Amino acid sequence: EPETLKNFGVAQQDKTMKDKTKFPKDGDHSPFGQDRTLTGDQNKRTKPLDLKSVRARVDKIHIDGLCRTKHDIIKAQVNELFKAKDFQDVIINAYTVRGKLESLGCFKNIGVYIDTSHGPGATPEGVEVTFTVHELKRIMGNINTMVGNNEASLLIGAKTPNLFGRGEKLQVDYSYGHKNSSNINIAAIKPFFTGRLSKVLTTSVYTTTSEFPWSGYKENDKGLLVDFAFDSNESGTFKHHLQYEAVVRELTATKQATFRVREQCGPTLKSSLRHICKVDKRDEKIFPSSGTLVQCTTEIAGLGGNIGFIKNELAIQSNWSPHECLTFQVAAQTGFLRGINNDMQISIADNFFLGGPLNLRGFEMRGVGPREEGHALGGNTYWAAAFHFYSPLPFRPGKNSFGDLFRLHGFINGGNVNNAALKLGGSYEENLRVLTENVRCTAGCGIAMKLGNIARVELNFCLPFKYLRSDVQQQIQLGLGVQYL
């Protein structure tokens, strides 16, 4: 008898057969109403079934396992399934709806089952889709590690997911970094599921303590942050954040701090509005091979308190891969800070700084720009640009596994930060000279590693070839962080 492989309707022929043989009969017909035969002289295979040609519609949707979750937010996520016109649409839309249910932050271990429709109201082409869900516990805790600003932190948190049945969440986090920074954050998160675009409102109260030995001060912040995040397209590549922040900042000078730093110490109150616009079309965040990133940030402070300024920043990144083993990346950043009036001040904590293993490589943290007695003072204007190339490890060890986390890395970066007073009515040459004088440049190479698709580690050998005597250079650098130039 011939062997039959029941895998997507493919029948494999027994090569020892010489005569025509029929499949085992079941009513003397195949499931599709046609006799299926194999001929020893021919090598026949059944054609793959085109799911798009199979007419289907969704008659019913079942959600098993709901307890606290309200039905209205579930209906908003699953309505897309009723638009299916064939079986391929049913499978694709079921997968999409499963992702939407996971994004609610209310469930875990979501299963999907598709069966023929039965019972009253069933149609000949109808199917029933069942989602089995397991709601998260009312109170959950976690201990994690967090990476940011070239610092690793231990994060201890607790949260109450799906607090009122519509995806609300109350979250408390405490983190402590290896550079003596600490943070306590209490956040209330409310998602909105009206329409097809994602919208989330977050209100948080926080207290943060950080040390900046490169500038000779410590900073303690106690503040309130209200963030409304929403997407401008269904793909999620165009995002906006509208934020209001009110924070009391207290700067404490170290023993070696200079007078320029000490005169800015003490408590200050900043009340500001911030808009962040981000368009991210990269295929990956850490080691992208194609796509672009554009992010624009505008902050206006002075709605209250004694801090007032207008701050603008722009970051651009573009990636191109002429070959699967070679990727080129071009990145640029720039920012400008100016005061509102003479009655309000600008703190050193609001200035721009350059230098660091993931910033302007080849220089120490805050190692570039205006300084006094070895302490970085920052500036109100900066720009930085970098050209990178990435390649997999030689001979591709650990291909398609652990080895894909690493890249060989070469780069040239440059930039400048200073206190500039750009004049709207000034000459083009005068304004350009302010931005182009005293430019720092570095070339180098090394190895980079991806951490969980959210952060990266770099070990580089750097050779600064354009710098000032006051700059603090660093040839061997180890960097850890989320954002990078």
Side-chain angles (χ1 to χ4, degrees), residues 212 214-215 217 348-349 353-356 363-369 371 376 472:
F212 300 94
W214 315 278
S215 297
Y217 68 89
I348 186 175
F353 295 89
L354 272 184
F363 300 91
E364 198 178 70
M365 292 288 295
R366 300 192 174 190
V368 173
R371 309 181 70 82
V472 183

Side-chain angles (χ1 to χ4, degrees), residues 192-200 229-236 238:
F192 298 91
F193 303 106
T194 56
R196 301 176 64 89
L197 302 180
S198 173
K199 297 177 284 291
V200 180
F230 61 95
D231 295 337
S232 291
N233 58 2
E234 296 182 14
S235 62
F238 193 1

Side-chain angles (χ1 to χ4, degrees), residues 99-211:
K100 290 183 177 181
L101 293 176
E102 288 178 339
S103 67
L104 295 179
C106 304
F107 311 114
K108 63 177 181 179
N109 301 330
I110 300 177
V112 184
Y113 302 92
I114 302 175
D115 197 0
T116 55
S117 183
H118 51 82
T123 60
E125 300 173 348
V127 297
E128 297 183 5
V129 182
T130 301
F131 294 91
T132 60
V133 300
H134 299 273
E135 292 188 339
L136 297 175
K137 297 179 180 179
R138 292 185 179 272
I139 299 178
M140 301 178 65
N142 62 286
I143 300 177
N144 297 317
T145 56
M146 184 175 61
V147 176
N149 299 323
N150 206 39
E151 183 178 18
S153 304
L154 176 66
L155 177 67
I156 302 174
K159 62 181 178 180
T160 58
N162 202 15
L163 190 59
F164 301 112
R166 291 184 172 86
E168 303 88 351
K169 180 169 59 176
L170 180 64
Q171 185 168 327
V172 180
D173 294 314
Y174 170 77
S175 65
Y176 187 82
H178 77 279
K179 294 184 178 180
N180 299 326
S181 66
S182 62
N183 177 65
I184 299 176
N185 186 77
I186 303 174
I189 303 171
K190 168 61 180 175
F192 298 91
F193 303 106
T194 56
R196 301 176 64 89
L197 302 180
S198 173
K199 297 177 284 291
V200 180
L201 176 64
T202 304
T203 303
S204 58
V205 180
Y206 64 90
T207 175
T208 303
T209 301
S210 304
E211 294 185 3

Side-chain angles (χ1 to χ4, degrees), residues 27 90 105 206 212 261 312 326 464:
V90 173
Y206 64 90
F212 300 94
V261 175
N312 296 282
L326 184 62

Side-chain angles (χ1 to χ4, degrees), residues 81 124 152 176 274 277 281 329 348 359 415 419:
L81 263 174
Y176 187 82
R274 188 183 301 114
C277 177
K281 296 185 177 181
Q329 182 182 92
I348 186 175
N359 188 252
N419 290 298

